[in-house]
Amino acid sequence: MTQQIERTLKALKANRFGAQFAPSAAAARALILDMIPQNASVGIGDSVTLRQIGMLEALIKRGNNVINPFTLELTIGMSEDPAKHRLFKETTRKTFGTDVFLTGSNAVTEDGKIVNIDRAGNRVAGIIYGADVVILVIGRNKIVKDADEAVKRIKGVIAPAHAGWKKSRTPCAAGSECTDCASVDRMCNITVILEKRPINTDVNVILIDEDLGLGWDPDWDEKRVRAIESNYRKNTWSFKKE
Ligand code: SF4
């Protein structure tokens, strides 16, 4: 375990979050299966990291009732089809009433905070106050120094990459720096920083010693950044519909 991971886990625990280390995706999968009872219902907040580690398949195979709104069936054509959009929103709301809410996060800080910026808000809503137990699966590449760095990383790297790939009508999708835009496609509508554990929600972080999901420091070597991008694109539903 690197000193950065060790520092982050210690700080998360000091902020009363559950925090566990997984040396690999396989170890994380086993850990999460142990944390979730076989008869528990599990709501999903969209997360490429979850797909990369094969978590949904493992839970379904084990017999858990998994409520996942982020399927191709529910999402493709949703914006042009009001009935489909309604069904998607209804399914999303059901994830707040499950026993466990499982998702990823945009960033975790070395001083033990969890930072997310959402477009719709279902992920942050589910993390704050829905299921009694929340599990956040986070790769080592999402660790940043503090909350300011986290927001800078999200608006400087993550949102622009995501917006560009989705061909969104935002300035950052076209290669400009963040302009705090007013685009209808704006990705950054809700910023949530969990500073300490919410009193009624058992929030747990599983920190994996692998690069997962979307996020990097522009100063990292290009090979590592390209690998993160490529693995992300292979696992995001936005590309599967193309
Ligand atoms: S606020 Fe707009 S321009 Fe800035 S990162 Fe978010 S989507 Fe891009």
Side-chain angles (χ1 to χ4, degrees):
M1 186 189 316
T2 63
Q3 284 185 348
Q4 187 192 42
I5 291 178
E6 204 174 339
R7 198 159 50 241
T8 305
L9 289 169
K10 198 171 160 204
L12 284 165
K13 285 179 192 160
N15 289 341
R16 299 191 293 275
F17 297 109
Q20 296 191 68
F21 173 69
S24 65
R29 217 166 39 240
L31 199 57
I32 295 163
L33 284 174
D34 264 0
M35 291 171 77
I36 300 177
Q38 198 164 352
N39 61 355
S41 56
V42 183
I44 302 296
D46 194 25
S47 160
V48 166
T49 300
L50 286 182
R51 284 196 283 275
Q52 285 172 323
I53 71 168
M55 202 60 238
L56 304 193
E57 293 88 336
L59 284 164
I60 292 164
K61 190 170 167 205
R62 214 256 306 259
N64 285 96
N65 174 22
V66 175
I67 299 178
N68 177 22
F70 298 92
T71 61
L72 291 173
E73 296 72 36
L74 274 180
T75 53
I76 285 193
M78 175 172 71
S79 41
E80 299 85 44
D81 181 343
K84 197 176 226 188
H85 194 203
R86 201 162 43 246
L87 181 60
F88 171 79
K89 287 200 289 184
E90 279 166 16
T91 311
T92 303
R93 288 207 170 88
K94 283 184 191 154
T95 66
F96 305 145
T98 50
D99 298 312
V100 178
F101 186 73
L102 184 58
T103 189
S105 277
N106 293 133
V108 59
T109 70
E110 288 181 37
D111 57 358
K113 298 181 173 118
I114 300 156
V115 184
N116 284 294
I117 299 186
D118 270 10
R119 186 170 180 214
N122 64 286
R123 180 179 56 159
V124 292
I127 292 172
I128 297 168
Y129 208 109
D132 281 344
V133 177
V134 169
I135 302 174
L136 306 175
V137 189
I138 304 178
R140 63 185 176 196
N141 52 313
K142 305 278 188 80
I143 302 174
V144 294
K145 186 167 161 282
D146 55 26
D148 286 345
E149 279 293 315
V151 172
K152 201 168 143 202
R153 166 82 65 89
I154 297 166
K155 292 194 176 180
V157 171
I158 300 175
H162 202 194
W165 294 334
K166 287 184 79 172
K167 302 182 179 63
S168 301
R169 292 158 290 177
T170 64
C172 61
S176 128
E177 283 193 1
C178 174
T179 59
D180 190 20
C181 71
S183 164
V184 286
D185 287 344
R186 179 178 162 117
M187 318 290 255
C188 313
N189 292 331
I190 307 122
T191 299
V192 170
I193 300 170
L194 270 71
E195 298 182 8
K196 306 266 189 244
R197 181 193 141 162
I199 58 167
N200 287 333
T201 309
D202 179 13
V203 177
N204 298 275
V205 171
I206 308 299
L207 199 46
I208 307 176
D209 198 5
E210 288 186 14
D211 290 339
L212 293 161
L214 189 58
W216 59 82
D217 185 319
D219 290 339
W220 289 351
D221 76 82
E222 202 180 324
K223 201 168 156 209
R224 183 177 179 191
V225 172
R226 292 287 92 84
I228 293 170
E229 283 184 307
S230 155
N231 288 336
Y232 179 87
R233 291 173 70 115
K234 275 187 221 147
N235 285 282
T236 180
W237 58 274
S238 313
F239 292 103
K240 290 188 175 159
K241 68 186 177 186
E242 286 176 354

